[in-house]
């Protein structure tokens, strides 16, 4: 798997856009995350894998401004940051596409694309909605992530599951996101719909975004991932590149349970050059 231009297999040539250092998040006395280090770099897809209860949702919550750290640091462009809400995270350029992606089903696709940021035209105080511009921008942005032949006036409820995810990704790209967090959708998808989501992930990487792709599937992860961070019990049990593991290795790791750390070290030892 080749990495994006400007990055290397280990990502060391590009400073992180967003970084966690020693991140710990507790719910009462239970540590959902414990001393997690994670560096997210532009032009790189970091796949986050792990069993249910491994800490993936908590980590997504921290990155998106939904959860606060109990200990550790969140750094944006190398400077300490604290997001008190998802709105603050979005304002900092962090776009999260949630599992249970919400749309306004009776509103048009272009209305869902802009969601209160619609383009207008004409002098004040007579400015009015520029519908033609909104439709054109929506169609172009959706084509950029692989959804072609779209009628922007159709209700959003007519979109298939993969197209809805692509709509959210296209919107993030258009509005200048720097980090894209894609929480694995729970809606059933066909292979073609999943391929569309993966194509959108690749489009975000090529646009220079730092992408976090949360998934249960090592097969899909290996198709688009540059790095694979495996969580177990709220800790990083493995941090590997696409050159460290093939899809079969990654499948073994994800299924490894308590043996995850040992398997990771064994794979690293077998490939000392990486």
């Amino acid at each position: 798997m080749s990495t994006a231009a400007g990055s290397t297999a280990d990502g060391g040539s590009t400073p992180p856009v967003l970084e966690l250092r020693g991140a710990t998040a507790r719910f009462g006395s239970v540590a959902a995350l414990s001393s997690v280090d994670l560096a997210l770099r532009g032009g790189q897809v970091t796949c986050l894998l792990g069993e249910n209860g491994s800490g993936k949702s908590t980590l997504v919550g921290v990155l998106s401004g939904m959860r606060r750290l109990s200990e550790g640091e969140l750094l944006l462009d190398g400077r300490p940051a604290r997001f008190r809400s998802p709105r603050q995270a979005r304002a900092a350029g962090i776009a999260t596409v949630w599992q249970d992606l919400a749309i306004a089903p009776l509103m048009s696709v272009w209305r869902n694309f802009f969601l209160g940021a619609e383009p207008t035209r004409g002098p004040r105080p007579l400015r009015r909605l520029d519908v033609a511009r909104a439709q054109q921008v929506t169609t172009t942005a959706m084509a950029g992530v692989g959804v072609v032949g779209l009628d922007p006036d159709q209700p959003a409820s007519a979109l298939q599951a993969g197209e809805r995810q692509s709509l959210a990704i296209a919107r993030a790209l258009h509005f200048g996101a720097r980090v894209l967090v894609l929480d694995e959708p729970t809606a059933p998808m066909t292979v073609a719909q999943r391929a569309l989501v993966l194509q959108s992930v690749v489009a975000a990487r090529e646009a220079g975004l730092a992408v976090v792709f949360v998934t249960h599937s090592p097969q899909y992860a290996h198709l688009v991932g540059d790095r694979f961070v495996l969580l177990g019990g709220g800790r990083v049990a493995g941090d590997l590149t696409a050159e460290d593991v093939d899809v079969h290795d990654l499948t073994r790791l994800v299924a490894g349970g308590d043996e995850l750390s040992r398997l990771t070290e064994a794979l690293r030892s077998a490939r000392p050059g990486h």
Side-chain angles (χ1 to χ4, degrees):
M1 180 79 181
S2 61
T3 54
S7 65
T8 63
D10 65 5
S13 66
T14 307
V17 177
L18 195 64
E19 187 175 6
L20 291 174
R21 293 182 184 173
T24 297
R26 294 192 180 89
F27 296 90
S29 60
V30 177
L33 289 179
S34 184
S35 300
V36 169
D37 294 332
L38 180 68
L40 305 175
R41 295 178 167 85
Q44 188 178 81
V45 177
T46 299
C47 294
L48 192 64
L49 301 107
E51 299 176 340
N52 290 336
S54 63
K56 300 192 304 297
S57 294
T58 302
L59 195 151
V60 169
V62 169
L63 296 177
S64 66
M66 289 284 290
R67 305 284 186 203
R68 297 187 191 179
L69 291 176
S70 304
E71 298 174 13
E73 288 186 299
L74 175 66
L75 304 175
L76 180 65
D77 293 322
R79 295 185 294 273
R82 180 173 294 181
F83 303 136
R84 300 183 182 276
S85 68
R87 177 175 292 183
Q88 287 188 351
R90 287 194 300 271
I94 301 164
T96 303
V97 181
W98 300 99
Q99 284 185 346
D100 52 349
L101 177 65
I103 62 169
L106 299 182
M107 291 173 61
S108 65
V109 173
W110 70 262
R111 283 279 192 180
N112 275 272
F113 182 88
F114 282 98
L115 288 176
E118 292 85 355
T120 57
R121 61 189 175 94
R124 295 184 184 276
L126 303 176
R127 294 186 70 82
R128 58 192 182 276
L129 186 63
D130 191 343
V131 176
R133 172 67 176 161
Q135 293 169 333
Q136 183 268 323
V137 168
T138 300
T139 302
T140 301
M142 291 292 281
V145 295
V147 183
V148 296
L150 176 77
D151 176 5
D153 277 327
Q154 70 181 334
S157 58
L159 296 176
Q160 297 179 338
E163 292 172 332
R164 293 175 191 175
Q165 301 294 322
S166 297
L167 172 63
I169 294 171
R171 187 179 191 277
L173 287 169
H174 177 74
F175 285 101
R178 301 179 62 210
V179 178
L180 175 67
V181 182
L182 181 62
D183 202 6
E184 183 176 52
T186 55
M189 289 189 191
T190 65
V191 171
Q193 290 168 7
R194 288 191 178 275
L196 185 58
V197 174
L198 296 181
Q199 184 175 340
S200 299
V201 169
V202 171
R205 175 178 63 193
E206 291 177 348
L209 274 68
V211 182
V212 180
F213 181 39
V214 182
T215 179
H216 288 84
S217 170
Q219 291 81 12
Y220 289 123
H222 206 271
L223 286 172
V224 297
D226 300 299
R227 300 194 71 84
F228 309 103
V229 174
L230 299 100
L231 291 182
R235 296 179 178 272
V236 174
D239 186 351
L240 301 157
T241 73
E243 295 176 353
D244 291 323
V245 288
D246 60 22
V247 66
H248 302 293
D249 293 332
L250 193 59
T251 301
R252 288 173 54 214
L253 286 169
V254 172
D258 293 337
E259 297 182 355
L260 201 55
S261 296
R262 284 202 303 275
L263 283 168
T264 301
E265 290 306 315
L267 284 166
R268 282 198 179 280
S269 299
R271 293 175 170 84
H274 295 294

